[in-house]
Each structure stands twice: as C-alpha cells, then as structure tokens.
Amino acid sequence: MAAAGSGSFQDGRIASKRLMMLVALLLVSCCLGHGFGDEDHVEVEGIGSSCMESERRALLAIKSDMYDPDNWFSSWTGKDCCGWRGVACDNTTGHVTKLDLRYPDTYDVRDISDIMETMGGSKVNPSLQELKHLTYLDLSMNNFSHAPVPTMIASLVHLEYLNLSNAMFDGPIPPQFENLSNLHHLDLHGWYDDLHVDDLDWLSRIPSLKYLDMSYVDLSKATNWFYVINSISTLEVLHLIYVDLPYVPSRLPPFNLTAIATLDLSGNFIITSAMLSWLSNATSLENLFLSGCWSLTIESLQVALGALSNLKGLDLSDNSLEGEIREILNNVSSRGLKHLDLRSNQLSGDIPPGSLRDLEYLDLSGNSIVDVHILASLGNLTNLRHLELWGNSISGEIPPTVGKFVRLEYLDLSSNQLSGDIPPGSLRDLEYLDLSTNLIVDAHILASLGNLTNLRHLDLGGNSISGEIPPIVGDAVRLEYLYLSYNGIIGKIPQSMGNLSNLLELHLSGNKIVGWIPPSIGNLTNLVMLYLSSNNIVGCIPKTIGTLIHMKVLYLDDNQISGKIPETIGGLQNLQVLYLDNNFITGEIPATIGGLRNLLMLSLSNNLISGPIPETIGGLRNLQMLILKGAELPAWLQTQTQLTTLDLYGVGLSGNLPVWFSNFTRRLHRLNMSSNNLQGRLPSAPQLMLDLSNNSFIGPIPPSFVISTGLSLLSLSHNRINGSLPPSFVICNHFRSLTYLIIT
Ligand SMILES: *[C@@H]1O[C@H](CO)[C@@H](O)[C@H](O)[C@H]1NC(C)=O
Ligand SMILES: *[C@@H]1O[C@H](CO)[C@@H](O)[C@H](O)[C@H]1NC(C)=O
Ligand SMILES: *[C@@H]1O[C@H](CO)[C@@H](O)[C@H](O)[C@H]1NC(C)=O
Ligand SMILES: *[C@@H]1O[C@H](CO)[C@@H](O)[C@H](O)[C@H]1NC(C)=O
Ligand SMILES: *[C@@H]1O[C@H](CO)[C@@H](O)[C@H](O)[C@H]1NC(C)=O
Ligand SMILES: *[C@@H]1O[C@H](CO)[C@@H](O)[C@H](O)[C@H]1NC(C)=O
Ligand SMILES: *[C@@H]1O[C@H](CO)[C@@H](O)[C@H](O)[C@H]1NC(C)=O
Ligand SMILES: *[C@@H]1O[C@H](CO)[C@@H](O)[C@H](O)[C@H]1NC(C)=O
Ligand SMILES: *[C@@H]1O[C@H](CO)[C@@H](O)[C@H](O)[C@H]1NC(C)=O
Ligand SMILES: *[C@@H]1O[C@H](CO)[C@@H](O)[C@H](O)[C@H]1NC(C)=O
Ligand SMILES: *[C@@H]1O[C@H](CO)[C@@H](O)[C@H](O)[C@H]1NC(C)=O
Ligand SMILES: *[C@@H]1O[C@H](CO)[C@@H](O)[C@H](O)[C@H]1NC(C)=O
C-alpha cells in the first residue's frame, strides 16, 4: 500500500493533526509585583507575580469569543493572568507580552471520523488591541469562520512574532501590516486559498523579517512579488507554496537574499531557468523545495545544484522530470545532503557510487526505475533512516545489501515486482515496512518478524505468500497495523496473535485461513478494525470479542463461521460496521445487538439465522444500511430515522406493503426490494435508487410517483404494472442522472 502525502514536507491541517501535536504549556514564571505607577496594577500575595487588571479583562473578553470544547482555558481564572496557559508577561513591567491561542489540535488514530470533524467557530475580540505590549501572538489552527484578517492587529506594533496560519481567515491581508516593523516571524499560511494579496509592497517595509510563510495565499495579482522578496535581505526562511506566483520577466535584479537558508516555492508553475541560475548565488541555502513546479528541466536544475554546496534537503518531487537519477545527483555535492525527495517524476537508473554518503531520507517512489540494482547501489548509504521506492517497476530479488541499512526505520518498496525476502537478523530499527503488491511468495518474511521488535506497521498485502502465520508473530509486540490480506496464507490464526496488544488494525481478508478465530483475539483491546473476510474460518465467533470496546469495523463475512452470534457482541459500543453475511450462523440474533449504538452498517444476509429480528435493532438510530435476509418487514423499521440504504433483495417478503411504508421510504436513498412476492399497489415515493423488480405489484404507477432529478436507478420490471406513465416520466430533463430505467 503506497502511502499518500508528500513525506515530511506535508502541510495542511490534516498533516499536522497526524503529528499529534501537543502544545507545550507555557509555564511562565512571573515577576516581581512592585508597582510601576499603573493604577490598575494588581499585587498578588505570596510569590511575586502580577498582572494588569485592564489586560486581564481584555484577556477574558478574548477568551469569551474562542471555541473551547476541551476546556483549554481552565487555567484562566483568578487575578494572576501572567500564569494563565498561553500567556506570558514581561517580568519587569508586568505587561502581557505573549499570547498563544493556537488551537491545541490532537488527532486520535482510533477515531476515523475525527478527520471529518468540524471545529466550532471563534472570533477575534476587539479587546485584543488593548494588549499593546504584545511581542508574540499566535492565533493559528483556529476556525475564524472566514472572517477578514483583523486590521487592528496592525496596531500591535511591538509584535515580533505573528502566527495566523491555518486559522480560516478570508479576504485580503491588510496592507496596514506594514506598521508591524518589528516582526521577524510572520506566518500567514492559508487554509485553501481564501486569503489573497494584490500588492505586496507593504512587506518591504518590514525590515528585519527572518521567517515568512504565505503558503496557500493567492498572490496571483502581486506582480511585484519577486522584487519585494528580494529586498528583504534578512530572510532566512521563505515558504510560498501554491501561491500562484505571477511570471517574472527574465531580467532579474542582483541576488540579495544573502541569509536565505530555506526556500520553498513548491506548487508554483513559473520557476524559470533564469530564476534557477539567479538562485546559484544562494550559497547559504540549505533546504530547497521545488515540488510540483512542472516547468523545471534537468538542465536548468544542474546549474543551480552545482553551485548550492551547502544543501541538506532537496525536494524535486512531482515535476515530471525525465532522465537518469545520476544526471541530477552528479551536480549535487556528495557531502551534506540528508534529505532527497524525487518522488513522482520519470527518472530511471541508479545512485552513482560514492554520492550521497550522508543521506538519511530518500524517496524515489513513482518513477520509472526497473533495475533491482538500485537497491544494491544504495548499499553504502548506511545513515539511511527512511527509504521509499514504491510504485516503480523494479523486478528481481530483494538483494542482501538491504540488510546493510542498519539504521532504517521506514521502508516502503510496495507496488513493484520484487520477490525474495528481507535478510534475517537485519533492520532491527525498522518501524514501518511495506512490501505490499509485489511478487513475494516466501513466508520466511513472517518468521523474521520475531526479530523486528520495533515494527509498528507491516503491510505484505497483495503478494502470493503461501505459508502459515508463525506463532512468533506474537513477539512483534509493537505492531499497530498488520496487513496480510490478499495472499495465499494457509493454516490457523495463531493463539499468540493475542499478544499483539498494541494492534489497532488486523487485515487477513482474502486468504485461505482455516480453523477458529482464537479466543485470545479478545486480548487485542486496542483493536479498531478487524478484517477476516473471504477465508475458510470455521467455528463460533469467540465470546471474548465483546471485550474489544474500541472496535469500529468488523468484517467476518464470507467464511464458514457457525454457531450463534455471541451475546457479548453488544459490548462493542463503538462498532460502526458489522458484516457477518455469507456464513452458517444459526440461531436468533441476540437482543444485545441493540447495544451497538453507533452502528451504521449491518449485514447478516445469507446465514441460517432464525426467529424474529429483535426489536432492539429498532433502537439503533444511526443505522444507514441494513442488509437482512430471511426476514419479514419489521414494523420497527419506522423508527430508523437515519436509515438511507435498505436492501431486502429476495428475502421472501410477501403480501401488501404496510400503510406506513410509503412514508418510511421518503428517507431512503437506495431501496432494493426486488425478487420478493410483494403485492398490491406500488409505494408512492420513489427514491434515488429503487429496485422493485420481480414482485407482483399491480395497477398503474401512481401519479404521486414523481421522478426526482437525482434518480439514477429505477427498476420496476417483472411486475404486473399497467396503465399509462405518469406525467413526470415524460419530462426528459428529469432523466439527466438516470442511468437505468427498467419498466417492463
Ligand atoms: C526576566 O526574564 C529574563 C529572561 O527570561 C531573565 O534573564 C531575568 O533574570 C528575569 N528578571 C527578573 C528580575 O526576574
Ligand atoms: C467553522 O465554524 C463555522 C461556524 O462559525 C462552521 O460553520 C464551519 O463548519 C467551521 N469550519 C470547519 C472546517 O470546522
Ligand atoms: C505557526 O503555527 C503553525 C500551526 O500551529 C505551526 O505549524 C508553525 O510552525 C507556526 N509558525 C511559526 C513561524 O512558528
Ligand atoms: C499605521 O501607522 C500609521 C503611521 O504611524 C498610523 O497612522 C496608522 O493609524 C497605523 N495603522 C494601524 C492600523 O494601526
Ligand atoms: C537588498 O537588501 C537591502 C537591505 O538589506 C535593501 O536596502 C536593498 O534595496 C536590496 N536590494 C535590492 C536590489 O532589492
Ligand atoms: C552572483 O554572484 C556573482 C559573483 O558574486 C555575480 O557576479 C553575479 O552577478 C551574481 N548574480 C546575480 C544574479 O546576482
Ligand atoms: C553537472 O554535472 C555534469 C556531469 O558531472 C557536468 O558535466 C556539468 O558540468 C555539471 N554542471 C554544472 C552546472 O555544474
Ligand atoms: C561503496 O563504497 C566502496 C568504497 O568507497 C566502493 O568501492 C563501492 O563501489 C561502493 N558501493 C556502492 C554500491 O556504491
Ligand atoms: C533473528 O536474529 C538472529 C541474530 O541475528 C538470527 O540468527 C536469526 O536467524 C534471526 N531470525 C529470523 C527469523 O530472522
Ligand atoms: C504469547 O502468547 C502465547 C500463546 O497465547 C503465550 O503462551 C505466551 O505466554 C505469550 N507471551 C507473552 C510474552 O505474553
Ligand atoms: C489472552 O487470552 C487468553 C484466551 O482468551 C487468556 O487465557 C489469557 O489470559 C489472555 N492473556 C492476557 C495477557 O490477557
Ligand atoms: C411520516 O413520518 C414522519 C417521520 O417519521 C412522521 O413524523 C409522520 O407522522 C409520518 N406520517 C404519517 C402519515 O405516518
């Protein structure tokens, strides 16, 4: 499985969520409480620390407009505002000088829905301008709901650090920011491209700027950008990612960025060869990011790379560069480079011997490399920690030199045509290993797991591995993600699997696994997803499964599982998806199923389930999809307000539809009741996808049978429908999205 994203240079909110950022508490020791003539100066008893009353009130007003679901502001009580979280005061004057309101975003890997979460809106309270002595202001990562960037920030003229990144502001950056002449860090990194600057002139009046990030701010009208940036000779770090830079005529001014260390112009399409030769004078440059620039050629890059002898990081990914890797590397200084990203180009060949000795991070994924020699040519890069080569066409055996990467922590060779094995006893530091979608047949690799005690992520899916999972797998105790789906794995799931107590996801679908699900599965108390579909698993679902309270997704379909559904299943309070179809499950569905309060999808079809469907299913208010077989149309369906998909294909329903049915179907997007023996009139409210074929409905299509404009499938075939079509069928415009209309 190829990892998406762009390595360590990913930006954006989601990427930073993944870092599980924990914002450092600003524990600031404050200050001597002797009065300085301010009337509102408050002295606090005990340890000398103080806070201006007017500033304290301003802070409380600011807090009142901030979204705070997790009570991050709980320390904001009492008189001593200098001790509040995110606040710091000058220890001689007592004024508030630092305000850090960065939203303390955390990302919980267990919570797949978290990424979709919307964050409540905040507002910038006007009292902010009373904090006149601020030198540090961070409002990043909040949701200011597309409000304009507050111009009043420009009055905080002592600011040295201003961070408004990812804060969902909208509109122009106020040119009044030119008043912030003390700034040395300015981070305006946008969120989509809601922010824009039409004239960057104001920026040239901030004389000592060292750090500037305007990524994702629309600069397409700022035609003077090049001259403005070049005039700020103090700049050390410049990020202008995806800002739609306007074209610069090739007569460029003398190079003036003598302090520049990091330059990121990724995602701009106008990086000309003139600009690259101009860059040759940036001899202080350590990190150059030109990902997704598209206009680059190897020839123009060679000139710049030949001159930049201090480079430590180089990102030329996503550029459609065509040629040999060595054409680029020959001009890169052989010492010093630690980070090289050439992902998603059309490069081939290998690494020239003796080059890149200090390399720690190498990404050559998504290129046109065919020769397995590339892996041997990397043999001397003993400092390598991170290597990605997925999505090439490398064929052959994994060479033993791979074992020389003693420091390797991350290895992704997926989606190639590799065979062979990882040399035993090597790669002890490995945390992430992805060899999926290759031609590996040997199960030895699973045996070496016992030595890979640091491994957290292992993906061997989509190979042809045909052995058994050895019990030693239980020794890889750090594993969080184990993906062995779509191989030819035989044998049983070893009992020792229950020792992998850190496991979050276990994927074993599409193999030839036999035997029972080991009861020790109940020891995997952190498990969130369990995929065992399409194997030959027999026996009962173990009772211990009920202890997996974090489980969200459980696929046991397409096996030979028998016995009753254990009552303990009701313990999976977080379960959202449960597929048990195509097994030999017998008995009644336990009433405890009503405990699965978060269930969205439930599929039980093609089993030997008997008895009534428990009414407790009626309590599952989030259910969106329900696939039952061998069931009667139960009245509790009426109470399923979230249900949008209902599949009752061939479940033996007969008779007239109940009176409540038409009203009920209004909520559905997709209804399949074909191949039953339903009689009587058609229900009156067709939905987006409706299949009522193969029944015994009679009479005309009711006039109320309005075809909605979004209709994509309507099948009424094989009934006894007669009469003329209702008027709504004749207006062709209605059928724009209709793919199938079957009325016979
Ligand atoms: C004030 O803070 C600075 C730096 O944080 C420190 O060096 C200095 O000693 C402090 N002064 C007093 C009076 O606490
Ligand atoms: C931001 O807040 C507004 C309410 O002010 C809300 O409508 C919107 O969905 C939020 N956006 C995100 C991305 O959370
Ligand atoms: C600004 O805030 C963002 C998000 O909180 C952070 O990633 C970034 O490093 C900050 N910028 C600076 C210059 O500190
Ligand atoms: C910026 O500075 C000018 C001159 O000192 C002043 O007139 C103006 O009010 C300031 N603007 C803001 C928004 O503070
Ligand atoms: C170069 O930088 C200095 C400030 O250090 C500035 O005064 C000068 O105008 C800049 N030159 C150009 C050509 O922008
Ligand atoms: C680069 O530096 C060289 C030598 O210092 C100088 O001759 C040349 O004009 C500079 N080029 C630019 C574009 O500044
Ligand atoms: C780049 O490397 C090639 C091959 O080593 C060399 O011929 C060429 O002169 C170099 N170009 C520059 C601009 O350094
Ligand atoms: C590794 O380094 C040695 C000695 O510097 C050299 O002879 C050999 O060719 C290098 N191997 C590779 C694959 O670069
Ligand atoms: C584990 O490492 C030891 C020592 O290097 C080695 O002898 C053994 O073959 C390795 N076992 C496996 C299964 O790779
Ligand atoms: C691992 O699992 C096996 C079989 O379930 C068990 O006998 C053994 O004690 C476990 N080892 C550890 C370290 O928990
Ligand atoms: C693991 O599961 C087995 C079988 O359910 C049980 O006997 C054993 O005590 C469990 N071990 C741990 C460490 O929880
Ligand atoms: C139709 O369903 C809605 C929502 O479930 C309900 O409030 C309403 O009473 C029903 N109408 C009839 C006629 O049953």
Side-chain angles (χ1 to χ4, degrees):
M1 297 239 99
S6 54
S8 67
F9 303 130
Q10 250 176 9
D11 52 88
R13 178 174 300 258
I14 288 169
S16 46
K17 278 188 169 199
R18 287 179 185 280
L19 294 174
M20 297 185 70
M21 253 172 12
L22 287 173
V23 172
L25 285 173
L26 294 158
L27 295 171
V28 180
S29 63
C30 310
C31 48
L32 307 158
H34 308 303
F36 288 90
D38 298 87
E39 290 129 26
D40 58 8
H41 203 114
V42 171
E43 292 209 16
V44 178
E45 294 157 39
I47 306 155
S49 53
S50 65
C51 169
M52 307 280 162
E53 179 57 20
S54 62
E55 294 187 337
R56 197 181 73 92
R57 269 188 261 115
L59 286 168
L60 289 174
I62 291 165
K63 170 192 159 184
S64 70
D65 277 343
M66 298 298 292
Y67 173 67
D68 182 26
D70 298 317
N71 224 358
W72 297 104
F73 285 102
S74 58
S75 67
W76 285 39
T77 56
K79 290 286 182 193
D80 178 19
C81 73
C82 297
W84 294 353
R85 176 185 182 147
V87 179
C89 301
D90 184 293
N91 61 4
T92 54
T93 67
H95 284 296
V96 173
T97 53
K98 178 164 180 173
L99 182 56
D100 181 353
L101 296 179
R102 172 188 301 196
Y103 186 74
D105 207 357
T106 52
Y107 172 71
D108 184 352
V109 277
R110 289 215 192 102
D111 197 350
I112 44 178
S113 56
D114 191 44
I115 298 169
M116 315 299 260
E117 157 211 71
T118 63
M119 195 198 296
S122 295
K123 280 187 284 189
V124 182
N125 189 284
S127 303
L128 179 63
Q129 59 198 319
E130 283 161 38
L131 302 178
K132 295 237 175 292
H133 299 269
L134 279 183
T135 57
Y136 185 107
L137 176 61
D138 188 347
L139 298 176
S140 65
M141 305 299 285
N142 286 288
N143 171 8
F144 290 106
S145 320
H146 301 284
V149 179
T151 305
M152 76 44 191
I153 290 176
S155 68
L156 304 174
V157 293
H158 297 293
L159 279 181
E160 293 167 8
Y161 177 102
L162 176 59
N163 195 339
L164 303 181
S165 74
N166 286 307
M168 295 189 218
F169 285 115
D170 207 349
I173 309 279
Q176 289 87 340
F177 275 16
E178 69 182 6
N179 283 12
L180 300 176
S181 57
N182 291 307
L183 275 184
H184 46 71
H185 281 73
L186 177 57
D187 195 337
L188 300 170
H189 188 114
W191 172 238
Y192 297 123
D193 47 20
D194 295 333
L195 291 168
H196 62 92
V197 175
D198 293 345
D199 186 345
L200 261 184
D201 207 37
W202 56 270
L203 196 60
S204 57
R205 284 188 279 283
I206 303 180
S208 39
L209 206 56
K210 289 183 179 161
Y211 183 108
L212 176 64
D213 190 342
M214 285 200 167
S215 300
Y216 299 95
V217 176
D218 180 358
L219 298 184
S220 60
K221 297 211 179 79
T223 47
N224 56 349
W225 73 272
F226 192 85
Y227 306 93
V228 171
I229 297 290
N230 191 42
S231 73
I232 312 171
S233 64
T234 47
L235 266 186
E236 291 169 12
V237 178
L238 176 62
H239 295 281
L240 295 175
I241 307 168
Y242 282 102
V243 295
D244 201 1
L245 288 175
Y247 178 75
V248 184
S250 54
R251 274 174 64 90
L252 303 176
F255 184 84
N256 207 18
L257 300 178
T258 46
I260 196 84
T262 296
L263 177 61
D264 190 346
L265 299 177
S266 296
N268 293 290
F269 303 148
I270 49 91
I271 311 301
T272 57
S273 54
M275 246 184 247
L276 285 170
S277 37
W278 177 87
L279 255 188
S280 305
N281 280 11
T283 45
S284 55
L285 204 60
E286 294 182 357
N287 296 296
L288 177 60
F289 306 138
L290 295 172
S291 168
C293 292
W294 291 44
S295 51
L296 306 181
T297 61
I298 289 188
E299 292 71 29
S300 59
L301 282 166
Q302 279 174 337
V303 178
L305 295 179
L308 301 177
S309 54
N310 288 312
L311 272 192
K312 294 194 165 64
L314 177 62
D315 182 353
L316 298 172
S317 59
D318 289 306
N319 274 312
S320 312
L321 292 171
E322 219 172 315
E324 297 255 334
I325 297 166
R326 57 177 67 214
E327 287 180 77
I328 295 174
L329 296 188
N330 274 345
N331 296 78
V332 174
S333 161
S334 69
R335 287 226 164 262
L337 199 69
K338 291 195 154 84
H339 186 116
L340 178 60
D341 190 346
L342 298 174
R343 175 192 291 203
S344 297
N345 284 292
Q346 289 154 45
L347 299 167
S348 55
D350 54 17
I351 305 289
S355 62
L356 308 179
R357 270 173 281 175
D358 295 323
L359 209 62
E360 293 171 4
Y361 180 109
L362 178 60
D363 188 348
L364 293 169
S365 314
N367 275 290
S368 312
I369 303 166
V370 293
D371 194 342
V372 74
H373 183 250
I374 182 100
L375 284 171
S377 75
L378 295 171
N380 281 349
L381 308 185
T382 45
N383 290 311
L384 218 52
R385 293 199 160 83
H386 186 113
L387 175 59
E388 295 185 52
L389 277 165
W390 53 264
N392 281 285
S393 308
I394 307 171
S395 61
E397 292 222 354
I398 299 171
T401 43
V402 164
K404 284 167 78 183
F405 306 139
V406 283
R407 300 213 173 153
L408 211 59
E409 289 162 9
Y410 189 108
L411 178 60
D412 188 345
L413 302 176
S414 61
S415 301
N416 281 292
Q417 285 126 47
L418 291 165
S419 54
D421 207 347
I422 294 286
S426 61
L427 308 181
R428 284 158 187 272
D429 286 346
L430 214 56
E431 291 177 9
Y432 184 108
L433 176 59
D434 189 345
L435 297 173
S436 61
T437 325
N438 274 293
L439 303 174
I440 296 168
V441 293
D442 215 321
H444 281 158
I445 198 152
L446 291 173
S448 39
L449 274 174
N451 278 344
L452 301 178
T453 44
N454 287 307
L455 210 58
R456 292 168 196 272
H457 181 115
L458 176 64
D459 190 346
L460 298 172
N463 281 288
S464 308
I465 298 172
S466 58
E468 295 191 19
I469 303 174
I472 199 158
V473 76
D475 286 4
V477 286
R478 296 237 175 131
L479 269 185
E480 291 169 5
Y481 180 97
L482 179 57
Y483 193 106
L484 301 175
S485 293
Y486 309 110
N487 277 290
I489 292 173
I490 54 173
K492 298 181 182 177
I493 302 173
Q495 181 79 9
S496 64
M497 197 74 105
N499 292 1
L500 301 176
S501 58
N502 288 308
L503 216 54
L504 301 173
E505 293 186 31
L506 176 58
H507 298 253
L508 298 174
S509 296
N511 281 295
K512 296 173 186 154
I513 293 170
V514 296
W516 295 48
I517 301 172
S520 64
I521 203 101
N523 294 358
L524 303 179
T525 48
N526 287 305
L527 209 60
V528 178
M529 296 188 191
L530 176 59
Y531 286 79
L532 299 177
S533 308
S534 304
N535 279 293
N536 300 317
I537 294 169
V538 297
C540 302
I541 301 171
K543 289 195 180 70
T544 53
I545 206 142
T547 58
L548 304 180
I549 53 167
H550 295 299
M551 185 96 86
K552 293 200 163 169
V553 176
L554 177 56
Y555 281 84
L556 301 178
D557 55 296
D558 226 345
N559 278 294
Q560 289 141 41
I561 294 171
S562 55
K564 291 166 75 167
I565 300 173
E567 299 207 336
T568 53
I569 198 125
L572 306 181
Q573 331 150 0
N574 287 301
L575 202 65
Q576 295 177 354
V577 178
L578 176 59
Y579 275 79
L580 297 175
D581 46 285
N582 294 313
N583 279 297
F584 300 112
I585 295 170
T586 53
E588 295 182 10
I589 302 172
T592 52
I593 205 144
L596 307 180
R597 253 172 253 112
N598 290 298
L599 206 61
L600 303 174
M601 296 180 189
L602 172 63
S603 181
L604 297 171
S605 62
N606 283 323
N607 277 295
L608 304 169
I609 291 167
S610 57
I613 293 176
E615 274 184 29
T616 51
I617 289 193
L620 304 179
R621 292 301 158 80
N622 293 314
L623 214 55
Q624 290 167 9
M625 193 187 96
L626 177 63
I627 306 176
L628 298 171
K629 192 157 179 174
E632 292 163 16
L633 198 59
W636 50 255
L637 276 175
Q638 288 175 83
T639 60
Q640 294 304 116
T641 51
Q642 299 301 312
L643 201 66
T644 55
T645 299
L646 182 61
D647 189 333
L648 296 169
Y649 169 85
V651 296
L653 297 172
S654 61
N656 292 354
L657 289 169
V659 181
W660 52 264
F661 194 74
S662 285
N663 188 23
F664 161 73
T665 59
R666 272 188 207 141
R667 302 195 283 266
L668 300 179
H669 296 319
R670 193 194 264 259
L671 171 61
N672 185 351
M673 298 213 310
S674 75
S675 302
N676 284 292
N677 191 24
L678 291 166
Q679 294 160 3
R681 302 284 169 146
L682 286 164
S684 68
Q687 302 303 317
L688 289 177
M689 299 183 94
L690 177 65
D691 191 345
L692 295 176
S693 59
N694 289 304
N695 277 292
S696 305
F697 287 110
I698 55 163
I701 299 170
S704 58
F705 212 101
V706 180
I707 291 196
S708 63
T709 42
L711 192 71
S712 62
L713 173 114
L714 174 63
S715 177
L716 300 175
S717 69
H718 298 94
N719 279 291
R720 283 180 273 144
I721 297 165
N722 55 23
S724 56
L725 291 173
S728 74
F729 277 58
V730 192
I731 304 166
C732 294
N733 264 350
H734 270 127
F735 292 107
R736 258 175 297 188
S737 55
L738 195 66
T739 333
Y740 296 104
L741 174 66
I742 309 167
I743 308 172
T744 48

